[in-house]
Amino acid sequence: MGSVAMDSDYGVPRELSALQKARALYRPDLPPCLQGTTVKVEYGDAAIAPDVAGAHVISHAFPHTYGQPLAHFLRKTAAVPDATVITEHPVVRVGVVFSGRQSPGGHNVIWGLHDAIKAHNANSKLIGFLGGTDGLFAQKTLEISDEVLSSYKNQGGYDLLGRTRDQIRTTEQVNAAMTACQALKLDALVIIGGVTSNTDAAQLAETFAESKCSTKVVGVPVTLNGDLKNQFVETTVGFDTICKVNSQLISNVCTDALSAEKYYYFVRLMGRKASHVALECALQSHPNMVILGEEVAASKLTIFDITKQICDAVQARAEKDKNHGVVLIPEGLVESIPELYALLQEIHGLHDKGVSVENISSHLSPWASALFEFLPPFIRKQIETEKLLAQLVEAEMNKRLKEGTYKGKKFNAICHFFGYQARGALPSKFDCDYAYVLGHVCYHILAAGLNGYMATVTNLKSPVNKWKCGAAPITSMMTVKRWSRGPAASQIGKPAVHMASIDLKGKPYELLRQNSSSFLMEDIYRNPGPLQFEGPGGETKPISLCVEDRDYMGRIKQLQEYLEKVKSIVKPGCSQDVLKAALSAMASVTEMLTIMSSPSFSGQATI
């Protein structure tokens, strides 16, 4: 058995404010399918990867865990003859580890898992690993109890267990994880994290299956960036909280800009490779502009194109006597700007070779050196996108002012980075509910004996009593992506759960585009206010979640029901007309689906 480090503060009761104490008393509701002590599972068809072209690569890399069926958890009274009913629940030992950056609501996953384990067998144990995956490798543990959880329920942070470098990737790390699971006699290991952590969970599950290790591996979608999003995962735990906290800060800045009437605020938000946070915050707070990395990449905009775009907006507003504004910028915008990304790649390569910062310019390629020298001195050590854009816009506006092509007031910029201060925020009611339910789903996955699955909850925009709970193989969420490595080189990546970019044909983006002109010119700033746990704002959910129709698991089940109806209607002895209609319709559908499922049709649509 592992031991708790003596100098550790993990699991120590928090000193709670009156508000935190009131929050700790709140107990989330459960959907009907998770209530009671019976676990009822309906298995669907084998789940395949969305990347048709890469499916062979994925199945070859994960022979034991690819092609497993979807699992739907049903209420005890559901009339589904083929469902598996599990009524006996032996004592189990389950390990849980935080992996990846802390995300509000993470503690409630552990709380939900603990409650589910104890409700089905009071003698079962939940064992937390201290300090993330490092604690897993070193077998540093803490047994989770009601007493330990008491001051962490519905609270932010990851400080109950902590986290560190958080990866299970190398052979040594995988072997250390397996050794820990075997030494602690774990029936399951639950990994709480985002795309990278769940990719690691899939690999761990495959290795355990191959090595005949009895520990089952379960992943939970928890990441503040909201980029673990696919046909099975509608949103992640933490995204709602982060967007609400940031939207209030942005709204405060908007009000200040409107009051002072002389500043442009450039606000950088979290989101390294995808701009989901920036999009959601724009929909909630209505700033004048938002620059999305996905737009920049799709249009192949340069840093100068973006600068001109902002400058033209500043000039248009000045013509209406508006010399203020707010611009949102995602953290990873730099990676979407080709010349800046290529420059960064060269710089990182030189750093790896030991070239000092002072000598970087002389070692760069000619074009990269010219761009590097063009950048403001304070930017060269670390590219802070909001400061770079503010500086470039200011220089261009001063130039236009001098030339007489701009008649507005002198351009003044103020830069902010809203990100890390929101990571430890008290989670929203939605994130508390969602995380707690996911914890219960993890136990259902364990009870069903599933390995290499992610806990899923769909139909999230509806009330909790209509949420649909299930599990999907992590391998069915994987793609094989082609990664660019500079202007002329490319290579095929390994199968992984990749970050989902904003869908530029999706409803949230469409909603933004419909309102972008009024956002830009009319100052219709909206302040959602501070995060509310109850009252008018308590039940709100992400706008991008509510405008979408993403109940994939529900639609899969609905399709199966239609297919069963066809089978029941078209039986030997049915009329010729019924048979002809069925054959004609099914032939057309089959032909269309065959075309849509071909690699040439869907190869470009990897998430």
Side-chain angles (χ1 to χ4, degrees):
M1 172 69 71
S3 60
V4 180
M6 295 305 292
D7 59 346
S8 169
D9 289 329
Y10 298 125
V12 172
R14 293 171 160 185
E15 182 176 340
L16 301 181
S17 67
L19 174 63
Q20 287 178 295
K21 288 176 182 176
R23 274 176 153 262
L25 296 175
Y26 170 73
R27 188 180 192 86
D29 292 329
L30 288 174
C33 61
L34 300 179
Q35 294 173 8
T37 56
T38 297
V39 173
K40 194 167 189 176
V41 195
E42 179 190 12
Y43 294 104
D45 295 327
I48 60 172
D51 177 13
V52 177
H56 175 72
V57 178
I58 299 167
S59 62
H60 182 75
F62 296 88
H64 299 88
T65 52
Y66 182 77
Q68 299 188 96
L70 292 182
H72 304 273
F73 299 115
L74 312 174
R75 65 177 74 194
K76 184 180 179 180
T77 56
V80 180
D82 295 336
T84 301
V85 181
I86 302 165
T87 55
E88 293 188 14
H89 300 275
V91 172
V92 292
R93 293 171 59 81
V94 181
V96 61
V97 61
F98 282 131
S99 183
R101 292 193 289 181
Q102 56 267 34
S103 189
H107 286 145
N108 272 31
V109 176
I110 296 178
W111 179 24
L113 178 56
H114 171 267
D115 280 5
I117 285 172
K118 292 295 184 180
H120 288 87
N121 193 314
N123 295 319
S124 293
K125 294 189 184 301
L126 179 59
I127 298 159
F129 288 100
L130 303 177
T133 54
D134 277 356
L136 169 63
F137 306 146
Q139 299 181 40
K140 291 183 177 179
T141 64
L142 171 68
E143 184 173 335
I144 306 297
S145 64
D146 275 324
E147 184 181 4
V148 167
L149 283 166
S150 61
S151 60
Y152 292 89
K153 297 173 180 178
N154 304 314
Q155 312 298 324
Y158 272 12
D159 48 322
L160 170 61
L161 298 178
R163 40 85 63 179
T164 48
R165 65 185 176 191
D166 302 322
Q167 67 174 36
I168 314 172
R169 204 154 306 147
T170 66
T171 302
E172 293 76 18
Q173 290 169 341
V174 170
N175 288 340
M178 190 187 304
T179 299
C181 290
Q182 290 172 331
L184 297 168
K185 298 179 180 177
L186 297 183
D187 295 284
L189 175 65
V190 175
I191 296 176
I192 298 172
V195 289
T196 304
S197 301
N198 278 283
T199 298
D200 290 348
Q203 186 58 64
L204 202 61
E206 178 66 26
T207 304
F208 282 13
E210 185 179 357
S211 303
K212 305 279 194 294
C213 174
S214 60
T215 306
K216 310 299 183 187
V217 181
V218 178
V220 190
V222 180
T223 172
L224 51 85
N225 293 322
D227 52 14
L228 202 179
K229 197 171 182 179
N230 52 51
Q231 62 272 45
F232 305 110
V233 181
E234 294 182 358
T235 189
T236 55
V237 172
F239 178 72
D240 180 53
T241 303
I242 290 293
C243 292
K244 281 176 176 168
V245 171
N246 282 334
S247 292
Q248 190 213 349
L249 295 173
I250 293 162
S251 300
N252 293 349
V253 163
C254 289
T255 302
D256 186 67
L258 189 59
S259 302
E261 296 187 309
K262 61 179 180 180
Y263 298 115
Y264 269 86
Y265 288 90
F266 287 72
V267 179
R268 178 164 50 110
L269 298 167
M270 301 189 89
R272 289 186 176 174
K273 290 184 183 294
S275 310
H276 297 288
V277 173
L279 173 59
E280 177 65 28
C281 288
L283 293 174
Q284 289 194 26
S285 58
H286 303 178
N288 299 104
M289 289 186 75
V290 55
I291 310 293
L292 301 176
E294 289 83 348
E295 278 185 320
V296 170
S299 301
K300 295 182 171 55
L301 301 180
T302 67
I303 188 67
F304 305 106
D305 293 330
I306 299 169
T307 300
K308 182 178 183 303
Q309 203 175 80
I310 298 173
C311 288
D312 290 346
V314 169
Q315 188 153 340
R317 286 177 57 77
E319 289 170 4
K320 291 196 171 187
D321 289 329
K322 294 184 176 183
N323 296 288
H324 60 274
V326 178
V327 182
L328 302 190
I329 301 159
E331 187 179 19
L333 183 63
V334 168
E335 295 191 25
S336 301
I337 304 172
E339 72 274 21
L340 283 184
Y341 182 66
L343 172 61
L344 284 176
Q345 292 293 93
E346 280 202 36
I347 291 173
H348 289 157
L350 292 171
H351 278 162
D352 292 342
K353 293 177 182 177
V355 178
S356 65
V357 175
E358 294 75 21
N359 296 323
I360 284 287
S361 182
S362 60
H363 287 75
L364 291 169
S365 61
W367 73 267
S369 179
L371 178 58
F372 185 76
E373 290 302 320
F374 167 79
L375 297 177
F378 71 91
I379 287 293
R380 293 178 192 168
K381 292 183 180 178
Q382 179 183 357
I383 295 183
E384 296 173 282
T385 324
E386 78 283 11
K387 293 181 180 178
L388 173 60
L389 281 174
Q391 178 97 358
L392 294 177
V393 170
E394 183 175 1
E396 173 62 19
M397 295 315 298
N398 287 340
K399 178 185 169 190
R400 293 185 186 188
L401 191 62
K402 190 174 180 181
E403 293 171 347
T405 55
Y406 168 58
K407 309 283 186 191
K409 294 181 181 178
K410 186 177 183 299
F411 183 85
N412 294 298
I414 298 176
C415 298
H416 289 292
F417 174 43
F418 294 157
Y420 296 104
Q421 60 268 58
R423 294 197 314 192
L426 294 172
S428 66
K429 183 175 181 293
F430 172 72
D431 275 331
C432 288
D433 292 344
Y434 182 26
Y436 184 77
V437 169
L438 281 169
H440 277 261
V441 174
C442 288
Y443 175 77
H444 277 54
I445 294 172
L446 165 62
L450 304 176
N451 178 42
Y453 278 70
M454 187 184 294
T456 65
V457 180
T458 59
N459 201 31
L460 286 168
K461 63 183 181 182
S462 299
V464 173
N465 63 2
K466 293 186 179 179
W467 287 3
K468 298 168 185 174
C469 302
I474 302 175
T475 52
S476 66
M477 305 176 191
M478 288 183 161
T479 52
V480 182
K481 225 168 188 183
R482 184 177 289 274
W483 296 103
S484 295
R485 300 293 184 191
S490 64
Q491 68 181 42
I492 295 294
K494 292 181 178 179
V497 181
H498 288 108
M499 296 180 182
S501 300
I502 288 174
D503 180 3
L504 297 182
K505 295 180 181 177
K507 291 182 180 179
Y509 180 74
E510 183 185 336
L511 181 61
L512 178 69
R513 291 276 62 83
Q514 287 171 357
N515 292 282
S516 58
S517 58
S518 55
F519 284 3
L520 177 61
M521 300 305 298
E522 297 174 22
D523 293 352
I524 50 174
Y525 304 139
R526 176 179 179 272
N527 195 327
L531 191 147
Q532 301 291 310
F533 203 62
E534 53 187 30
E539 299 296 331
T540 59
K541 297 174 182 178
I543 294 172
S544 52
L545 171 68
C546 293
V547 299
E548 290 181 327
D549 182 18
R550 296 182 60 87
D551 184 15
Y552 183 88
M553 298 282 270
R555 290 201 296 268
I556 281 279
K557 203 164 184 307
Q558 189 177 20
L559 174 62
Q560 290 170 340
E561 289 169 359
Y562 276 120
L563 293 174
E564 289 302 320
K565 282 183 182 178
V566 171
K567 284 183 182 179
S568 67
I569 294 170
V570 187
K571 286 184 174 180
C574 69
S575 72
Q576 284 277 15
D577 289 342
V578 168
L579 180 58
K580 283 180 182 178
L583 280 172
S584 175
M586 297 305 282
S588 299
V589 168
T590 303
E591 184 179 354
M592 179 183 68
L593 295 179
T594 300
I595 294 170
M596 292 181 69
S597 300
S598 67
S600 60
F601 184 91
S602 61
Q604 76 277 13
T606 54
I607 295 176

